[in-house]
Amino acid sequence: MKILITGGAGFIGSNFVRHILASYPDYDVVNFDKLTYAGNLENLSDCESSDRYSFVKGDICDPEALKKLEFDSIVHFAAESHVDRSILDSQPFLQTNVMGTVMLLEEAKRRDCTFLHVSTDEVYGSIGEGYFYEDSPLMPNSPYAASKASSDLLVRSYIKTHKIKGLITRCSNNYGPFQFPEKLIPLVILNAVNKRPIPVYGDGMNVRDWIYVVDHCRAVDAVLHRGESGEVYNVGCKNEMTNIRLVELILGKVAEKLGRDEKEVLSLIEYVDDRKGHDRRYAIDPKKMEDSTGWKPETDFADGIASTIEWYLSNQKWWERITSGDYMNYYKAQYGDRLKR
Ligand code: NAD
Ligand code: DAU
């Protein structure tokens, strides 16, 4: 099999490229990525020497570029993925997440190949109690979530109308190595290391269900090989945590690892104005995924978060290069007026 992986230079995509190359010695991978601010080929430096791996720089919105690629199935990760950025400017989200997905669907239709769409639990919106199931209504609340919900519906429409072989996964919050430090977990680790204030939105009581990125990659693999065309699969761990509990837990571990005073590190926490439209709780039921594909998460949160912290502490060059570029402009736009310190 030759898999086209879109967005393979990003956080989850690069972990997925590595997972596929290691798990399937007879598979080839084509990584197609525009290399936006979030795409980084350093994430795949250990895969470059493989003769089963190739990289093509390009935009999923460019149909001519897609036509030139050789592959027999598509796993689609490429997206604008950060909620806060979609609040600052929704346009790139509509372009890549909606129009880009349509271009890929057209290509899947033309070639009659499998299309696996990597979506998110955010399409369901927020839930007070209980869980979202695959047939729960889509109620997205941020421009990011709305763009992902739109692309989910477009995938559905191409399955129904054009009979393409399509599958959709909706995963919860990922953490692990190579995550861009705009997202909560790496941002907290790096700000703690750099003794910068740690912005906690609102009252810090929003809840997310955290999954180790490799478990998500294993789930996408399971759906690609054992999923049924036309079906949607929720991917999660039922590992719910409030943001403030998660932040305190990370800071405690960072203090321990760096031999710093825990109270000093915890004092970096600063409650800031809430994110606009901030979803209170995400919670999905992954039973369908577990029953129909046999997938189960394998990484215990305590182990996963400890190894993630260790990874960021040992890969300073990786994040120093990222945070020395345009990152600080974004950081100032996002936090400048909100942080007091
Ligand atoms: P990311 O922002 O780290 O990476 C996105 C990648 O897509 C980057 O390499 C970027 O260069 C590439 N890209 C962006 N626009 C492109 C375009 N027009 N053409 C080609 N490449 C383009 O994102 P991530 O966190 O790895 O998320 C990957 C996918 O998983 C997204 O579709 C996201 O919605 C979904 N998802 C993410 C999470 C999470 O917790 N991060 C959870 C569930 C689902
Ligand atoms: O649920 C899946 C989604 O998870 C994915 O679809 C998205 O691509 C991914 O970015 C993630 O979205 P979130 O908005 O949940 O993740 P983020 O890391 O941005 O924020 C996690 C929580 O932490 C959220 O409640 C907002 C809060 N937060 C975030 C940042 C960056 C803070 O309190 N302070 C911060 O500085």
Side-chain angles (χ1 to χ4, degrees), residues 6-14 32-40 43 58-61 76-82 92 95-97 100 117-121 144 148 169-175 178-180 182-183 210-211 216:
T6 70
F11 164 47
I12 308 173
S14 61
F32 185 76
D33 197 297
K34 186 180 173 184
L35 298 183
T36 66
Y37 78 93
N40 183 354
N43 298 359
D59 188 334
I60 55 168
C61 301
H76 177 33
F77 290 94
E80 288 295 335
S81 69
H82 193 39
Q95 183 62 18
T96 286
N97 301 0
H117 180 62
V118 180
S119 187
T120 167
D121 61 356
Y144 161 71
K148 292 295 289 188
T169 57
R170 294 188 182 137
C171 190
S172 63
N173 283 62
N174 285 223
Y175 70 95
F178 302 108
Q179 186 166 33
F180 193 85
E182 63 191 350
K183 308 279 167 47
W210 294 96
I211 182 171
H216 182 193

Side-chain angles (χ1 to χ4, degrees), residues 83 87 126 141-142 208 274-280 282:
V83 173
I87 296 167
S126 189
N141 293 316
S142 71
R208 298 292 184 265
D274 211 351
R275 174 186 274 174
K276 289 182 191 167
H278 196 178
D279 284 331
R280 195 65 169 167
Y282 296 144

Side-chain angles (χ1 to χ4, degrees), residues 259-278:
R260 276 168 50 193
D261 177 45
E262 186 170 345
K263 270 198 190 139
E264 171 259 312
V265 180
L266 284 171
S267 73
L268 294 170
I269 292 175
E270 194 172 315
Y271 286 92
V272 297
D273 286 350
D274 211 351
R275 174 186 274 174
K276 289 182 191 167
H278 196 178

